[in-house]
Amino acid sequence: MVRWLPLAPATVLLLLFLAGPIGYCVWIAFTDTQLTGASGSSFVGFDNFRRAFADGDFRNAVLLTLVFTFLSSIVGQNTLGLALAGLMRAASRPVRTVTGALVIASWVLPEIVAAFLLYAFFRREGTLNMILGWLHLPSQNWLFTLPILAVSFANVWRGTAFSMLIYSAALSGIPQEIGEAAAVDGASGPRRLWHVTLPMIRRSIGTNLMLNTLSTLSVFGLIWAMTRGGPGNRSQTLPVFMYDQAFVNSLIGYGTAVALLLLLVGALFSVVYLRLMKVEV
Amino acid sequence: MTARRTRARLAADGALLLVGASFALPLLWLLFASLDSGANLRVRPPKSPTTANFEAVLTDEITFTPMLNSLLLCGGATLLTVVCAVLAAYPLSRHRSRFNRPFLLTVLFTTCLPITAVMVPVYGLFVQVDLIDTTHGTALFLATSQLPFAIWLMKNFMDGVPRVLEEAAWTDGASVPQALWRVVLPLMGPGVGVVTIYTFIMLWGNFFVPFMLLLSPEQLPASVSIFTFFGNHGSVIYGQLAAFSILYSTPVLLLYLLISRRLGGGFALGGAVKG
């Protein structure tokens, strides 16, 4: 028994500060706890959940979360990461080094700094509109007209490096001869990609999509610092909605119910991920 | 063949440079604005570069106190994470038991959970147990949030150290803790280094946790204090904001350089690598 003792500190921390809050989350989500007011909390059953599904703002947040995740993680980070990794294999060394460093620097920067940089980029008087002006294209106030697109782009800027690294590793595992053999047999570039390369790295694609989606699902600081979920609620994804309900509207019970739903979605993804990857422990 | 190769390389170079440029623009703004006393939101080279912005923010209140807070908070949490992870990795790596697999799977499962979702109940819990607005309380939670991934990585690094070396040390009369400290840890030193630096980078950039759990201005780390640039008087001094952002980002960029070779792609083995 004593040889398992070293596990104790980690287990205690995980139980106290992770399992504890999750358990507490499950309880609070079924009560009407509020931040203000002397009244204690009482059990309300599934009221918070019923309320959520009937709440237009909640449905809006779910929809925006789906849009944000789809655009930035599945389309943006994933495709761009794969494209970058592929291009790098064909590119010359200095270009590869410089581009890689820039993409990775965007990833390593603290979340809040990234948020400010992209905020400056998308503002009416910012860099994007300056460039559009040079090209004689119409400028607009991106953070007002297309806030969810702006934060999605910000998440692509910040998160693509991860996919790039995963795909670079995966592609370097493919023997060069296989692609060349297919080329000799007359397969075009796109066909080689679709029939040879992609099937060979499908495990990496699975891993990458799963991890990207999970991390995008919990993005808060980036969106909050860029738009506060606004204007109105037009960039209010689930984490921002949860925060607003719990702390701006003081509805802790309701906010926690939303958090619980978010956790459930995350847990579902994690289980699928563990199954799919057949993790060996 | 070679002509086609060259053309393919030029095309790839061109495409990469285009993507690289769009990634560079926001970074370039940061650099230019920090050296421009009249910076606005556009990328433009400063007319007369000046270090005035840096001088203006290098005060106790704006830079030194928040950075020190960050260092205490993240340093403390990192230390706790690494110590707990090394200890936990040892039995998981060295002893066979039917508990190993469930434990490790739970840990891996936890690395995937969206920690953001837990923040509301954590806040509630911290209010009840009086840990709210304390640096040590926040550090405890930060450490826990990185712990699953750290355990997972550490176990893999420890698996790489052959058992025979340890057994040899035991025969020479070393106790189990001595063997861990004198034989196993030095051999997996680079691995411990990677986990330590990686944990620190993740915590240094974390915004949501200290934003929720710390309230008093004099305790805030740099990730949260950066908001004081906004809203105080309605106008934002972008040059100073940029200068402060650079000061705040430099440590993690340097630390990342230190471990980037080992991080590569293989590092991504199943874990929420992004914070």
Side-chain angles (χ1 to χ4, degrees):
Chain A
M1 217 43 231
V2 69
R3 58 190 203 167
W4 294 99
L5 211 60
L7 266 181
T11 313
V12 168
L13 275 182
L14 287 171
L15 285 177
L16 276 182
F17 292 107
L18 216 56
I22 292 175
Y24 191 62
C25 191
V26 176
W27 160 247
I28 292 281
F30 292 94
T31 68
D32 58 357
T33 308
Q34 301 196 0
L35 266 185
T36 48
S39 65
S41 57
S42 56
F43 190 75
V44 295
F46 282 95
D47 273 8
N48 287 322
F49 297 96
R50 263 196 290 275
R51 171 179 178 168
F53 291 113
D55 183 349
D57 286 338
F58 173 77
R59 289 202 299 257
N60 170 66
V62 172
L63 189 69
L64 286 177
T65 308
L66 289 175
V67 172
F68 179 64
T69 309
F70 181 75
L71 280 184
S72 65
S73 151
I74 297 176
V75 178
Q77 296 177 358
N78 184 55
T79 319
L80 187 59
L82 181 60
L84 285 172
L87 285 169
M88 281 190 175
R89 288 172 69 75
S92 61
R93 201 184 165 81
V95 173
R96 193 168 53 203
T97 313
V98 169
T99 311
L102 286 169
V103 175
I104 288 178
S106 317
W107 178 48
V108 181
L109 276 188
E111 184 180 22
I112 270 326
V113 175
F116 279 131
L117 294 187
L118 274 303
Y119 169 84
F121 185 75
F122 280 111
R123 275 291 297 247
R124 182 190 281 285
E125 59 276 31
T127 304
L128 179 59
N129 280 339
M130 178 178 81
I131 294 171
L132 290 176
W134 289 345
L135 301 172
H136 299 292
L137 291 169
S139 66
Q140 51 186 312
N141 192 351
W142 298 98
L143 292 172
F144 188 81
T145 49
L146 291 163
I148 193 69
L149 202 66
V151 292
S152 298
F153 183 87
N155 194 40
V156 173
W157 187 82
R158 189 173 140 69
T160 298
F162 179 74
S163 308
M164 186 182 81
L165 289 173
I166 289 206
Y167 286 135
S168 291
L171 289 181
S172 65
I174 299 181
Q176 200 108 54
E177 303 88 63
I178 293 182
E180 278 164 9
V184 170
D185 288 346
S188 65
R191 279 179 64 104
R192 284 208 303 275
L193 176 70
W194 188 253
H195 290 290
V196 182
T197 312
L198 290 186
M200 291 195 72
I201 59 167
R202 63 175 190 283
R203 256 174 90 99
S204 303
I205 298 178
T207 311
N208 185 48
L209 278 178
M210 200 63 84
L211 296 179
N212 271 346
T213 307
L214 280 165
S215 67
T216 300
L217 213 54
S218 58
V219 169
F220 172 83
L222 194 67
I223 299 180
W224 195 80
M226 279 179 76
T227 66
R228 303 272 147 109
N233 58 10
R234 287 195 288 132
S235 59
Q236 194 181 44
T237 56
L238 277 174
V240 183
F241 179 76
M242 169 196 86
Y243 174 82
D244 281 349
Q245 292 304 326
F247 294 100
V248 181
N249 301 339
S250 307
L251 301 170
I252 293 270
Y254 188 37
T256 310
V258 176
L260 194 61
L261 291 172
L262 199 58
L263 265 178
L264 283 177
V265 175
L268 207 69
F269 267 100
S270 311
V271 169
V272 173
Y273 169 65
L274 292 185
R275 298 232 81 143
L276 227 64
M277 296 303 119
K278 298 201 184 66
V279 182
E280 284 178 29
V281 182
Chain B
M1 195 69 183
T2 42
R4 220 189 65 196
R5 277 261 168 91
T6 317
R7 230 179 320 131
R9 194 167 71 208
L10 280 177
D13 281 356
L16 277 185
L17 283 177
L18 201 68
V19 176
S22 55
F23 272 83
L25 275 176
L27 296 169
L28 212 56
W29 175 77
L30 189 66
L31 212 60
F32 284 164
S34 71
L35 297 172
D36 190 341
S37 54
N40 60 17
L41 286 172
R42 295 187 167 187
V43 176
R44 58 156 197 215
K47 285 201 186 67
S48 50
T50 161
T51 54
N53 290 321
F54 285 96
E55 281 156 29
V57 296
L58 280 175
T59 65
D60 276 348
E61 193 198 356
I62 299 178
T63 300
F64 297 120
T65 309
M67 294 281 265
L68 190 68
N69 289 341
S70 283
L71 195 66
L72 281 176
L73 188 67
C74 306
T78 303
L79 191 70
L80 191 62
T81 306
V82 172
V83 169
C84 289
V86 167
L87 288 175
Y90 188 73
L92 290 172
S93 167
R94 290 320 195 218
H95 306 316
R96 292 277 145 253
S97 148
R98 62 201 160 89
F99 295 115
N100 272 11
R101 205 178 137 74
F103 190 91
L104 278 167
L105 279 178
T106 311
V107 162
L108 195 59
F109 173 76
T110 316
T111 59
C112 297
L113 286 182
I115 293 292
T116 308
V118 194
M119 285 319 293
V120 177
V122 167
Y123 178 88
L125 214 59
F126 269 46
V127 171
Q128 289 195 354
V129 297
D130 229 7
L131 274 175
I132 204 83
D133 200 22
T134 61
T135 300
H136 60 275
T138 311
L140 279 172
F141 180 73
L142 279 173
T144 311
S145 70
Q146 282 300 122
L147 198 51
F149 192 59
I151 293 178
W152 184 255
L153 271 184
M154 206 69 95
K155 191 241 168 207
N156 284 328
F157 282 124
M158 207 176 272
D159 284 346
V161 178
R163 271 199 81 131
V164 267
L165 297 170
E166 231 171 310
E167 282 158 3
W170 295 338
T171 356
D172 289 346
S175 64
V176 172
Q178 274 173 340
L180 174 65
W181 182 250
R182 294 266 170 82
V183 179
V184 183
L185 274 185
L187 282 172
M188 56 181 288
V192 178
V194 167
V195 179
T196 309
I197 293 177
Y198 182 77
T199 305
F200 187 81
I201 291 177
M202 283 292 119
L203 297 180
W204 186 264
N206 194 311
F207 161 75
F208 199 24
V209 174
F211 172 70
M212 294 280 286
L213 300 182
L214 291 174
L215 311 168
S216 19
E218 68 276 5
Q219 293 202 61
L220 295 180
S223 58
V224 183
S225 77
I226 203 166
F227 278 104
T228 48
F229 281 97
F230 274 69
N232 274 352
H233 308 287
S235 67
V236 184
I237 307 166
Y238 292 111
Q240 294 185 14
L241 177 60
F244 179 75
S245 298
I246 288 182
L247 291 172
Y248 164 47
S249 309
T250 307
V252 287
L253 288 173
L254 291 179
L255 285 173
Y256 183 83
L257 270 184
L258 211 67
I259 54 166
S260 56
R261 266 183 192 210
R262 304 197 134 257
L263 278 181
F267 175 69
L269 29 97
V273 175
K274 290 185 283 184

